[in-house]
């Protein structure tokens, strides 16, 4: 199966992360998941994604902060 796109999911709630990841994979997307904003930051530095979906309220740093740092 050809992937429709690559997606990075960052959410500290593992149940949500796994459910969303499963649904996106079933739709044909390549999905990389992490529960850590810092790990998400590392992954974004290593490769490109077509889309990233980030929880805003996380213990280490907010999703908005992660997006701001990525854009800078």
């Amino acid at each position: 199966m050809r992937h429709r796109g690559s997606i990075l999911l960052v959410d500290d709630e593992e149940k949500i992360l796994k459910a969303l990841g499963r649904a996106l994979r079933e739709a044909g997307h390549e999905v990389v998941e992490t529960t850590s904003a810092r790990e998400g930051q590392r992954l974004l530095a290593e490769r490109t994604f077509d889309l990233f979906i980030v929880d805003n309220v996380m213990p280490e740093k907010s999703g908005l902060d992660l997006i701001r740092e990525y854009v800078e």
Side-chain angles (χ1 to χ4, degrees), residues 17-55:
L17 189 71
K18 297 298 178 193
L20 187 53
R22 185 173 36 256
L24 290 167
R25 279 188 193 89
E26 288 172 1
H29 300 284
E30 174 196 0
V31 179
V32 176
E33 303 170 0
T34 181
T35 57
S36 162
R38 295 200 193 286
E39 178 70 6
Q41 208 170 17
R42 185 187 67 76
L43 289 163
L44 286 166
E46 283 182 2
R47 60 169 285 191
T48 59
F49 292 89
D50 296 306
L51 174 71
F52 63 100
I53 301 172
V54 184
D55 181 15

Side-chain angles (χ1 to χ4, degrees), residues 1-5 25 27-30:
M1 172 195 297
R2 187 169 169 250
H3 290 296
R4 295 177 133 178
R25 279 188 193 89
H29 300 284
E30 174 196 0

